[in-house]
Amino acid sequence: MSEKRVVKSACRMCHGVCQVLVHLDGDRVIKVTGDPDSLTSKGYLCPKGAASPELLYHPDRLKYPLRRAGQRGENKWQRISWDEALDEMAARLTMIKKDSGSEYFGMMQGTGRPYTGFTTRFANAFGTPNFTGVAHLCYFPRWIASLGTLGQLPVADVYGFGNRGPECIVIWGCNITHTGASDGMCGGRVERALRQAKKIIVIDPRRIGPADRADHWLQLRPGTDGALALAMLHVVIAEELYDHEFVEKYTNGFEKLRVHVRPFTPEWAAPITRLKADDIRAAARTYAGARPACIQWGNALDMSMSNYQTARAILILSGICGNIDAPGGDALWVAPEGIKQRSIFRNLEVAGLQFLPPEKAGRRLDGGRFPLCPAVHPPTFWRSIVSGDPYRLRAFWVVGSNPLTTMTNTADVEAGLKLLEYTVVSEIFMTPTAQLADLVLPAASWLEQDEVVNIHKIWCVLARKKVAQIGETMDDREIIIQLARRLGLTEAFPWKNYREYLEWVLEDASLTFEEFCERGMLAGEQRYYKYKTQGFETPSGKLEIYNGMMAILGRDPLPVYREPPLTPVSAPELAKEYPLILTTGAKIRAFFHSEGRQIESLRKANPDPLVEVHPQTASSLGIRDGDWVFIETPHGKVKMRAKLTGIVAPDVVSAQHAWWFPEQAPPDYGYQQSNVNLLFGPMAYDPDTGSESLRSALCRVYPEGESKP
Ligand code: SF4
């Protein structure tokens, strides 16, 4: 009889890293449940987490390294060994480095992953500045704004470690209680805190769950969060609602801000945001009057024309209202002692920029056109491959990403992938992107990984223990270490293998990995109001309302709002042809970006790509609930099923992102049918970060059977 056992672990089906119990029957994972004893997630589990065993044992998993055996896209592959795969990669990269230069090799990864520091470190150590990804419009803008303003990313303190929870919770552009998690925060914990909070403010163009019980639901026009934040600052300052002691002792630049926000009255913001001035005023008063208050913000703020600036405005709002590092406010967490912080969000050295030769830094394909874009600006990256300007990459390694579905300017992405001389994709399943590769490497899923989880969960590290092995899948970090060793990059990667690396991460805590797994979690000793004794980790030691670094760069040192490029306000002529506001990127409960479409239980919950349309609008367009409709912009059209719902305003449609159909034929898997990124082409980008305004564009929608000129 096989032995039944339970292993404590941390889910990685999304960024939430909820602590879970993995139930095994012998060597087989039979289910995953929430861990009721978890301090971080208190037993929470969403459908994605519950579906982990389905992913683990899915028959379509990539199990062995595959070398292309036919033409690109012919779906002909030859199984090879890991030694053959890594030797081949090392030989090709060495040859390209010798013949053309290390910058002719590029890398990318998708959303943040446990291996984030490893990928960037590998690129830098190899000598290429040409790393790209999606960070410019996801999480990074809020993180870098936090660093520049107060030295650390604050976290909504819904945990009650300071013996009090938030009196007021602001949910700003983040549907966390529905999707399950956001940036390491657990939706279950936020939901508990919401039940206890006296005041709730929801800022979202969609009537998300918490809006039903909110004191204020501000249904702003998509993409105008920055204007609202400035108006709230105006109210708090004009009505003297701020924390005077905090402002006087712990900030700089407040008087400049007072003058700066004077014109940004609620009456100024009302026509921009389409909110009533009185509602803005009332929400600002509630926020300033209910302390402690925390702000649970989300990715909606990142995909805009002023993401860094908006994040700064919100951080300043929190600061001057006395909520930074207050128990129940926006806490600055103390990291656990003795753990070598391998998250680039804690330790910039991890990214390995110190290994990039200075002469190579200047060879970045985007020429550094956006000073706060953390990697090569993706649309510029793909265009450079297509045009060969300033030069064309020769080799490319995609780690955990499906850019054909997750990046804008999709035609350039596809053309670029076809033009590259040598492409490697590390993946869990075959994807449209992997179909265009020369070599496909089978990556381990989270149940196949040992891990000291220290990315996204800002305030603690969690243990994850490998419980399964499917085929010859390998942890991405093991792949990188083994390739780095073949290339002689041992200064950046001194470990013989990934296990040795894990032991190294823990050595100062005097723990072996096995001992760490027994504990399950290490947290720092949380202390609040640390700035009172040690200041903020900024050049001035204060919360920097006036950002000197931005002034030096010739950028706005005080927060500003910029209208997105494709709205009824900025493009009124276009709006005559494309009268609806398209917002996309709202997270889906069943899926994590482009993942999960082949997982049966998840697909059942969300079988088709959906676009939310207001019933009134649908009626005027002859659209019924469940009809297939086209969504069209000047850049393309895609097909989705209409979901008629009053959660969006009549002139707003909200379309799901990153769709493809693993059940359809390779090599495309139908990725052009419903992929919302086909609707976005070149546009005016956020001048600071290069972000695309994916939360607010213009479109028209019509029934599938109808054709438009
Ligand atoms: S929210 Fe994310 S981490 Fe938590 S159970 Fe769901 S998928 Fe796993």
Side-chain angles (χ1 to χ4, degrees):
M1 216 173 81
S2 57
E3 185 206 355
K4 289 204 166 64
R5 62 199 165 102
V6 174
V7 176
K8 281 176 178 274
S9 192
C11 175
R12 197 56 173 81
M13 293 289 272
C14 85
H15 297 319
V17 279
C18 299
Q19 286 188 293
V20 292
L21 302 174
V22 180
H23 301 254
L24 291 121
D25 188 348
D27 286 338
R28 190 157 181 98
V29 177
I30 48 173
K31 67 176 172 179
V32 172
T33 57
D35 181 351
D37 298 329
S38 164
L39 268 182
T40 66
S41 47
K42 291 262 188 230
Y44 182 77
L45 188 82
C46 84
K48 295 184 287 294
S52 302
E54 271 183 85
L55 181 145
L56 177 69
Y57 297 119
H58 198 286
D60 296 343
R61 282 287 305 278
L62 289 166
K63 298 189 183 80
Y64 310 100
L66 299 174
R67 179 188 284 148
R68 179 163 63 82
Q71 296 299 310
R72 273 199 179 142
E74 264 194 324
N75 196 28
K76 289 189 179 155
W77 304 95
Q78 174 200 359
R79 177 179 164 180
I80 58 174
S81 70
W82 273 108
D83 275 341
E84 284 175 290
L86 294 173
D87 287 348
E88 173 189 304
M89 257 185 107
R92 292 294 291 260
L93 265 55
T94 302
M95 192 256 293
I96 286 168
K97 189 178 205 170
K98 187 164 157 275
D99 291 352
S100 304
S102 50
E103 68 272 33
Y104 282 75
F105 166 66
M107 273 183 92
M108 78 163 290
Q109 76 167 74
T111 190
R113 306 276 182 182
Y115 51 74
T116 292
F118 266 68
T119 47
T120 48
R121 193 176 181 87
F122 180 87
N124 285 316
F126 184 77
T128 180
N130 292 321
F131 190 93
T132 193
V134 291
H136 67 305
L137 47 63
C138 187
Y139 191 55
F140 178 85
R142 284 172 285 146
W143 176 73
I144 192 81
S146 302
L147 244 58
T149 307
L150 44 96
Q152 193 186 328
L153 182 89
V155 177
D157 186 13
V158 294
Y159 300 95
F161 293 153
N163 291 323
R164 70 181 302 186
E167 290 276 306
C168 171
I169 300 184
V170 182
I171 305 282
W172 199 326
C174 185
N175 195 7
I176 184 169
T177 55
H178 174 71
T179 59
S182 173
D183 311 327
M185 293 294 290
C186 168
R189 294 310 302 268
V190 173
E191 176 59 42
R192 278 169 177 247
L194 281 169
R195 279 189 222 131
Q196 282 157 14
K198 294 206 174 76
K199 298 285 177 190
I200 298 173
I201 301 171
V202 173
I203 301 169
D204 204 299
R206 297 168 71 237
R207 191 178 180 108
I208 59 172
D212 289 338
R213 54 202 143 124
D215 299 274
H216 307 270
W217 170 41
L218 301 181
Q219 187 183 25
L220 76 179
R221 179 166 64 91
T224 62
D225 307 78
L228 174 62
L230 287 172
M232 289 177 77
L233 277 171
H234 171 97
V235 174
V236 167
I237 294 173
E239 298 186 9
E240 302 271 333
L241 303 175
Y242 56 90
D243 181 330
H244 286 73
E245 187 191 344
F246 179 86
V247 165
E248 275 153 34
K249 288 191 182 161
Y250 306 112
T251 68
N252 75 9
F254 182 74
E255 286 312 313
K256 287 192 176 94
L257 180 72
R258 187 197 292 278
V259 175
H260 178 71
V261 299
R262 209 167 272 154
F264 303 135
T265 60
E267 285 70 22
W268 164 82
I272 298 173
T273 57
R274 295 200 312 202
L275 298 168
K276 290 192 184 109
D278 282 350
D279 290 347
I280 297 174
R281 211 166 254 119
R285 287 174 184 154
T286 297
Y287 174 72
R291 294 183 201 164
C294 69
I295 299 177
Q296 175 57 52
W297 57 4
N299 175 240
L301 300 168
D302 301 327
M303 296 177 161
S304 79
M305 191 63 180
S306 40
N307 54 20
Y308 175 84
Q309 298 288 345
T310 302
R312 288 242 312 129
I314 293 171
L315 291 161
I316 293 167
L317 183 67
S318 170
I320 67 171
C321 288
N323 289 314
I324 292 291
D325 215 14
D330 299 310
L332 302 176
W333 291 96
V334 180
E337 285 194 9
I339 305 293
K340 296 195 184 81
Q341 291 299 332
R342 305 315 290 164
S343 159
I344 55 167
F345 301 116
R346 289 267 190 74
N347 180 354
L348 283 172
E349 184 267 342
V350 174
L353 212 56
Q354 66 275 27
F355 298 112
L356 183 67
E359 70 277 10
K360 295 294 181 189
R363 296 283 286 154
R364 198 167 135 150
L365 285 166
D366 63 359
R369 63 190 277 216
F370 302 105
L372 299 180
C373 190
V376 178
H377 183 238
T380 315
F381 178 90
W382 294 108
R383 188 93 283 270
S384 78
I385 298 174
V386 176
S387 67
D389 179 23
Y391 57 93
R392 178 174 292 143
L393 283 188
R394 294 182 59 192
F396 187 44
W397 187 7
V398 182
V399 185
S401 184
N402 188 3
L404 277 174
T405 65
T406 56
M407 286 191 157
T408 62
N409 296 275
T410 316
D412 274 1
V413 178
E414 181 169 338
L417 285 168
K418 286 178 175 165
L419 279 165
L420 286 158
E421 204 176 299
Y422 183 65
T423 302
V424 181
V425 172
S426 302
E427 257 303 350
I428 288 179
F429 291 99
M430 191 57 87
T431 66
T433 301
Q435 280 287 350
L436 296 179
D438 300 282
L439 184 65
V440 177
L441 304 178
S445 70
W446 73 269
L447 286 160
E448 300 159 271
Q449 292 174 340
D450 285 326
E451 169 80 36
V452 179
V453 181
N454 64 2
I455 183 170
H456 280 121
K457 199 57 96 184
I458 299 278
W459 54 277
C460 59
V461 288
L462 304 173
R464 177 179 302 138
K465 185 119 178 59
K466 174 173 175 165
V467 291
Q469 173 69 50
I470 302 298
E472 293 177 6
T473 63
M474 195 183 279
D475 189 294
D476 294 277
R477 286 151 297 188
E478 187 75 87
I479 299 172
I480 289 172
I481 289 172
Q482 296 313 325
L483 183 62
R485 292 183 70 77
R486 280 168 166 80
L487 291 165
L489 308 177
T490 47
E491 192 188 348
F493 296 93
W495 314 282
K496 282 197 193 65
N497 52 44
Y498 175 56
R499 185 53 181 254
E500 190 175 296
Y501 159 81
L502 287 175
E503 302 293 354
W504 173 82
V505 167
L506 293 163
E507 70 185 0
D508 292 348
S510 302
L511 286 172
T512 64
F513 181 69
E514 293 301 326
E515 288 164 345
F516 173 62
C517 289
E518 288 295 310
R519 291 212 195 172
M521 169 182 171
L522 288 178
E525 197 182 318
Q526 180 57 16
R527 289 168 282 115
Y528 294 92
Y529 299 119
K530 295 176 286 299
Y531 59 81
K532 291 188 179 179
T533 50
Q534 59 199 52
F536 287 101
E537 291 175 45
T538 58
S540 64
K542 298 193 169 187
L543 185 148
E544 300 208 335
I545 292 173
Y546 184 86
N547 188 324
M549 180 198 74
M550 290 299 272
I552 291 167
L553 290 171
R555 307 279 161 156
D556 299 294
L558 290 166
V560 294
Y561 166 71
R562 302 184 196 102
E563 179 69 21
L566 298 168
T567 72
V569 176
S570 55
E573 281 307 307
L574 195 67
K576 287 179 190 157
E577 253 186 282
Y578 299 93
L580 294 172
I581 297 172
L582 168 67
T583 186
T584 183
K587 303 298 171 284
I588 310 171
R589 183 166 168 81
F591 307 123
F592 187 46
H593 301 299
S594 65
E595 293 179 21
R597 302 309 193 278
Q598 57 281 88
I599 310 294
E600 203 182 326
S601 67
L602 299 178
R603 191 65 183 276
K604 230 185 206 164
N606 197 144
D608 299 312
L610 297 175
V611 55
E612 292 168 346
V613 185
H614 193 279
Q616 198 180 306
T617 311
S619 158
S620 71
L621 294 169
I623 294 168
R624 291 160 307 172
D625 192 44
D627 280 355
W628 284 98
V629 297
F630 280 120
I631 312 164
E632 186 175 330
T633 71
H635 296 289
K637 66 176 182 181
V638 298
K639 204 167 82 165
M640 294 196 184
R641 262 196 207 283
K643 179 180 175 186
L644 306 199
T645 168
I647 76 166
V648 289
D651 65 346
V652 172
V653 295
S654 176
Q656 293 185 339
H657 72 295
W659 266 90
W660 61 293
F661 302 89
E663 69 275 18
Q664 290 190 22
D668 290 348
Y669 301 103
Y671 92 86
Q672 293 185 327
Q673 182 183 313
S674 304
N675 170 14
V676 84
N677 277 311
L678 286 160
L679 303 180
F680 294 93
M683 64 175 87
Y685 304 109
D686 181 321
D688 300 324
T689 61
S691 171
E692 295 109 303
S693 293
L694 303 184
R695 299 291 175 148
S696 49
L698 291 169
C699 75
R700 58 189 178 197
V701 174
Y702 49 92
E704 187 189 6
E706 228 174 76
S707 61
K708 291 277 169 196

